[in-house]
Amino acid sequence: MSITPEHPAALDRRTVLRRAAAVGMLATPAIGLLGACATSGSDGDNEQVAGGTKSEKNPLGVKEDAAIEVVIFNGGYGEKYATDVHEPLYKTAFPKAEVKHQATQAVSTVLQPRFASGNPPEFVNNSGEKLMDFGALVADGQLQDLTELWDAPSVDDPAKKVRDTVVPGTIEAGSFNGKPFVLYYVSTVFGIWYSGKLFKDNGWAPAKSWDEFITLLTNIKAKGITPYGYAGANAAYYQWNVILTQAAKIGGTDVLKNIDNLEDGAWKQDAVKQAAAAWAEVGAKFSDKSFEGLKHTDVQLRQNQYKVALYPSGDWLEGEQKKDTPAGFDYQLMPVPGLTASDKLPATALRATAGEGYFVSAKSKNPKGGLEYMRQMLSKAGAKGFTEVVKAPTVVTAGSEGFAFPPGVASSQAALKAAGQDVFNLYFDGWYKELDTEARTATNELMFGRINADAFVERIQKRADAIKKDSSVTKFKR
Amino acid sequence: MRHGKYPFVIGFLFAPVALYVTFVIWPYAQAFQISMTNWRGLSAPQWVGFDNYRRLLDDGAFWKAVQHHGVLLLALPLITIAIALFFAFLLNVGGKSSGGQRQGVWGAKFYRVVFFFPQVLAVAIIAVLFQMVYRPNESGLINGVLMKFGLEPVLFLVKPNLALWSIIAVLVWQAVGFYVVLFSAGMASIPGEIYEAAEMDGATKVTLFFRVTLPLLWDTLQVAWVYLGIAAFDAFAIVAVLSVDGGGPDGATTVLAMEIYRNAFVYSKYGYASAMGVALFFLTLTFAALTLRLTKRESVEY
């Protein structure tokens, strides 16, 4: 607190008012400062560089000596893959171009002012807790249309378009109203994680049906281990993901499509309600109340200490926990179990998507350079390099050929294969941040026993309706 | 009249006024202007008039935050001042008198330093510190001890009706030291003869406190109240770092600054956030004006 001692007599009316104003300032400085440049600079004084000559080696027509600026979110995947793999690839292709590198842990803090003043960097890894709202960026025309990139010939085989070198669904995942704006680069599989060692030592097997699952939880509890848990303090979306994944299994993938499209009553669909009720019971009987106050790393650490058996997450988990995982822990993935015998999707179905978003700023100096950078990322060398550095598979189909993944990712890749066509995804959290926040809050309320399934769906539906009516929010459809 | 006096005076007035206008008044005016738009932080904003304010009226989170400021405004100054007064009294006049001079309790000098410690720490550090203290499992400072004795852990930041009070406790803990020093200074300027005379008339320590110390400290108390009131309108850093899910659970600890932050930097609704900022501005002004009115009182001469 910046309170300075002062003689009481000096406290006259003006001082108080001034101080009152100062408190107001505390709350609004960023808004005020941003405001200072908001209304004037947004047209941008940025002159875009002219294109270069198109050639076989340069199908996008990048100006060969134009600089590009790369901003990388320095989180779970670090920044090494950019400095050691992708940037050198670009340098090799265009030796005269300068590649400026910046890494940050707070993307929006660093970049928001730059977008507002019309001077954004070419290439951005928009991720992490402080990512910029993709929906707002798209609505504002800040993102470069990636159609040109997807239609360009790939680096390794000029006869093949870039779009044919990635796993199906990649382009859709980054599309807004049918137009591709974001490159999701890392193949991500969601499920429930357990220690292969713990299960083997106790003779437990992953569950497929709900009955099996409840029996498994009961057995684990009898051993004195907390059967199931997620972190309420900052990772509640790990759990709404589980609930919605199960809802999709019960009622088919249209359940999620309705939610994404803000259809009336989408959250009140029976499948969502049933799944919520089922998991609320798990929360009440097989979890620990204290987890609501813990961060994801805390609960994950407890799993590594064999104090928690099952933990829902995506397959970045293994890499994230590498430092804290004891030898022989052996991460394994189990798809979210179905609920009833009449489920529309089989037990092997799961949510998988391309994750970790990258975009090119349409209003940067050299957007073509940004597109070319992506093309290099999507080459075999780019993908392989990434996988070798961060141990995660990319969306490039040929990128992880012959690579021996650690046990967790190997198991998630096997599960993905087993799922076959029954792979789905959902988008509302990226499209409507407010809805994501509401779903997180409601999930904590549900799982820690303050509301029931009916109140849970009621509450999120209310927020979804409000967003649907809000004309200032750009809507997306799939 | 000396020649060239006015240009001199104007010249000196102009620079600070210009700075003040540029860096204080102008951003304010802009915040007001942005609050009338649907600006999302990127392209040119559109004028929407009072739309954002209308929306504020049925925003549950906003009213929850306002309500919490109400609680904070009452609880924070009352508790902090009460504790600080008690400590300051003990440190300055609570002990025996020797040679006509009032003294504090034994070790007063040491305590004075200890009480001031929290004031030296940055708010963010305090918040992180209390994360450890409040942790809901055996690795928490408080719950670790409780669980050693076989007691159930207390879910400080997780129980909706306990969370806000846990945060108020941190704010009080942090603030008390400063007010102990402030009140000590005030008490030091109260002449010892008054105490002596009162004691000779047979006054107990309690009477001394309520009849002598408190009235003569009124001005200082007024300052403390205003400062703490203003602190009650902030509380952002503590809430942002310490509370579950940023103002949670389910908004049980949220404050206006937190909602402003969320709307601006998470939802990219800068226009709406500015409207909240403007609301906060008026709330703070109202508070300051009211406090001055209500605490107006003749100061006791001595």
Side-chain angles (χ1 to χ4, degrees):
Chain A
M1 293 260 78
S2 56
I3 294 171
T4 41
E6 198 174 333
H7 196 267
L11 190 90
D12 56 14
R13 187 186 174 79
R14 271 215 317 270
T15 335
V16 170
L17 288 180
R18 203 168 61 226
R19 223 155 261 145
V23 168
M25 269 303 276
L26 275 185
T28 41
I31 295 156
L33 285 176
L34 277 172
C37 56
T39 35
S40 55
S42 45
D43 350 313
D45 38 11
N46 232 12
E47 229 166 87
Q48 294 199 334
V49 296
T53 14
K54 289 194 185 187
S55 68
E56 199 171 306
K57 271 208 75 183
N58 185 8
L60 293 163
V62 180
K63 189 159 185 271
E64 300 196 356
D65 58 351
I68 71 164
E69 190 180 352
V70 174
V71 177
I72 298 291
F73 167 66
N74 192 0
Y77 297 128
E79 55 172 320
K80 209 167 158 254
Y81 70 86
T83 51
D84 291 9
V85 182
H86 297 154
E87 287 164 16
L89 278 176
Y90 191 91
K91 272 304 257 189
T92 317
F94 300 97
K96 278 181 271 174
E98 187 198 350
V99 180
K100 278 180 252 171
H101 173 87
Q102 192 189 355
T104 173
Q105 297 200 334
V107 177
S108 73
T109 316
V110 174
L111 292 185
Q112 187 90 36
R114 293 193 55 187
F115 276 96
S117 63
N119 173 35
E122 275 75 24
F123 179 87
V124 179
N125 170 204
N126 188 24
S127 186
E129 216 174 324
K130 292 199 168 158
L131 84 171
M132 295 180 73
D133 187 342
F134 277 115
L137 285 166
V138 172
D140 203 54
Q142 294 284 350
L143 301 194
Q144 177 76 23
D145 187 338
L146 301 182
T147 311
E148 202 183 341
L149 163 75
W150 294 121
D151 287 335
S154 67
V155 175
D156 304 297
D157 180 2
K160 228 176 176 181
K161 284 181 182 175
V162 176
R163 67 166 72 236
D164 298 323
T165 63
V166 295
V167 291
T170 304
I171 301 169
E172 286 72 26
S175 290
F176 291 77
N177 288 338
K179 254 193 181 175
F181 285 109
V182 181
L183 162 62
Y184 285 107
Y185 188 60
V186 183
S187 160
T188 309
V189 180
F190 295 88
I192 299 175
W193 297 85
Y194 60 91
S195 155
K197 176 181 187 301
L198 183 70
F199 270 49
K200 214 167 103 199
D201 290 354
N202 289 288
W204 298 327
K208 289 193 176 70
S209 73
W210 193 249
D211 287 342
E212 276 176 42
F213 187 61
I214 297 292
T215 315
L216 172 64
L217 293 175
T218 316
N219 288 339
I220 295 171
K221 198 175 177 182
K223 265 266 166 181
I225 298 169
T226 309
Y228 183 88
Y230 74 96
N234 68 348
Y237 64 109
Y238 286 8
Q239 183 57 29
W240 69 233
N241 177 54
V242 168
I243 295 174
L244 290 182
T245 300
Q246 190 176 53
K249 287 195 175 189
I250 300 169
T253 52
D254 274 353
V255 171
L256 301 183
K257 198 172 170 183
N258 292 339
I259 285 176
D260 289 340
N261 287 346
L262 297 177
E263 300 293 348
D264 289 326
W267 285 89
K268 291 188 181 173
Q269 294 170 102
D270 236 23
V272 183
K273 222 183 275 180
Q274 280 176 30
W279 284 98
E281 211 182 309
V282 172
K285 286 189 192 151
F286 300 106
S287 193
D288 189 322
K289 290 254 181 275
S290 73
F291 289 174
E292 188 174 7
L294 297 181
K295 297 217 154 102
H296 66 292
T297 40
D298 293 329
V299 181
Q300 286 164 200
L301 186 67
R302 294 179 80 79
Q303 186 182 31
N304 291 147
Q305 296 164 340
Y306 301 109
K307 288 177 183 160
V308 176
L310 297 163
Y311 182 78
S313 183
D315 55 6
W316 60 80
L317 179 67
E318 188 176 34
E320 193 177 41
Q321 289 302 98
K322 218 166 114 196
K323 274 202 318 288
D324 301 312
T325 315
F329 182 84
D330 190 21
Y331 266 113
Q332 294 290 308
L333 172 131
M334 154 169 109
V336 175
L339 186 63
T340 64
S342 57
D343 279 0
K344 292 245 171 69
L345 297 180
T348 49
L350 45 75
R351 179 186 175 198
T353 178
E356 199 69 10
Y358 299 81
F359 67 75
V360 175
S361 324
K363 294 178 182 170
S364 64
K365 288 199 185 76
N366 185 13
K368 284 262 165 55
L371 288 177
E372 177 61 30
Y373 186 91
M374 278 186 178
R375 202 175 73 98
Q376 296 293 338
M377 263 174 100
L378 290 165
S379 70
K380 236 187 244 176
K384 221 182 177 109
F386 181 91
T387 302
E388 268 158 16
V389 173
V390 309
K391 309 279 181 283
T394 65
V395 294
V396 180
T397 352
S400 46
E401 269 168 12
F403 183 81
F405 284 112
V409 177
S411 82
S412 68
Q413 291 293 304
L416 186 61
K417 215 171 214 169
Q421 288 303 302
D422 296 313
V423 171
F424 51 86
N425 192 17
L426 49 83
Y427 302 95
F428 78 91
D429 55 325
W431 290 351
Y432 313 108
K433 207 92 190 43
E434 281 187 79
L435 197 54
D436 172 32
T437 307
E438 186 72 5
R440 290 178 189 216
T441 311
T443 301
N444 275 347
E445 296 285 296
L446 176 82
M447 293 297 288
F448 295 104
R450 285 191 293 272
I451 59 174
N452 64 12
D454 285 326
F456 170 78
V457 296
E458 193 76 42
R459 179 168 176 170
I460 308 177
Q461 185 64 51
K462 214 172 133 201
R463 183 56 72 96
D465 291 342
I467 291 168
K468 192 176 182 179
K469 270 191 281 175
D470 190 340
S471 57
S472 71
V473 178
T474 315
K475 310 296 188 304
F476 301 103
K477 280 257 184 289
R478 66 164 171 132
Chain B
M1 189 173 205
R2 264 178 302 163
H3 200 63
K5 182 178 150 198
Y6 284 113
F8 179 78
V9 169
I10 290 169
F12 261 74
L13 276 178
F14 181 76
V17 169
L19 283 175
Y20 191 75
V21 167
T22 318
F23 291 108
V24 179
I25 307 286
W26 185 239
Y28 263 101
Q30 288 244 324
F32 276 79
Q33 186 216 338
I34 291 170
S35 76
M36 300 275 186
T37 69
N38 63 3
W39 192 44
R40 297 206 73 190
L42 298 166
S43 63
Q46 280 164 324
W47 188 263
V48 294
F50 282 93
D51 243 27
N52 286 328
Y53 292 96
R54 233 166 279 143
R55 232 172 255 193
L56 269 189
L57 291 182
D58 23 76
D59 183 343
F62 171 75
W63 289 112
K64 246 184 200 168
V66 171
Q67 200 187 325
H68 294 155
H69 282 303
V71 175
L72 278 169
L73 263 182
L74 279 179
L76 183 60
L78 272 179
I79 302 175
T80 310
I81 290 176
I83 297 177
L85 264 179
F86 179 65
F87 285 165
F89 186 73
L90 288 186
L91 289 185
N92 291 285
V93 281
K96 292 198 179 81
S97 63
S98 68
Q101 202 61 10
R102 303 285 325 168
Q103 297 226 314
V105 293
W106 188 82
K109 274 192 185 133
F110 171 70
Y111 289 131
R112 202 167 304 193
V113 175
V114 171
F115 286 152
F116 201 71
F117 270 167
Q119 193 68 30
V120 183
L121 294 175
V123 190
I125 295 175
I126 289 173
V128 171
L129 209 79
F130 270 87
Q131 269 176 1
M132 306 301 163
V133 175
Y134 282 155
R135 227 173 230 275
N137 57 24
E138 71 279 353
S139 58
L141 195 67
I142 301 177
N143 282 322
V145 175
L146 286 181
M147 287 170 89
K148 280 246 160 59
F149 288 106
L151 297 167
E152 282 287 298
V154 181
L155 305 178
F156 289 102
L157 296 164
V158 173
K159 278 241 169 79
N161 46 10
L162 191 62
L164 186 61
W165 291 102
S166 305
I167 284 180
I168 291 176
V170 179
L171 290 170
V172 169
W173 179 85
Q174 197 247 350
V176 159
F178 173 77
Y179 294 96
V180 169
V181 173
L182 183 72
F183 296 152
S184 295
M187 285 178 192
S189 65
I190 299 173
E193 299 89 58
I194 300 182
Y195 283 111
E196 226 172 308
E199 239 175 9
M200 270 194 221
D201 290 340
T204 61
K205 270 187 188 151
V206 178
T207 331
L208 274 186
F209 177 76
F210 282 104
R211 291 294 175 79
V212 181
T213 311
L214 207 52
L216 290 177
L217 218 57
W218 189 254
D219 276 344
T220 321
L221 282 180
Q222 197 182 356
V223 182
W225 190 274
V226 173
Y227 273 168
L228 282 165
I230 288 172
F233 271 112
D234 178 18
F236 170 69
I238 293 269
V239 169
V241 181
L242 188 57
S243 72
V244 171
D245 215 4
D250 195 11
T253 57
T254 196
V255 288
L256 272 175
M258 190 69 226
E259 291 305 316
I260 291 172
Y261 176 86
R262 197 195 312 277
N263 275 287
F265 301 110
V266 180
Y267 303 157
S268 312
K269 291 163 85 175
Y270 290 83
Y272 190 59
S274 297
M276 279 188 179
V278 171
L280 177 59
F281 170 79
F282 280 114
L283 279 176
T284 320
L285 271 192
T286 316
F287 162 74
L290 274 182
T291 313
L292 288 181
R293 266 290 124 73
L294 296 179
T295 56
K296 214 170 182 184
R297 173 168 162 178
E298 290 293 308
S299 54
V300 184
E301 297 285 336
Y302 50 85

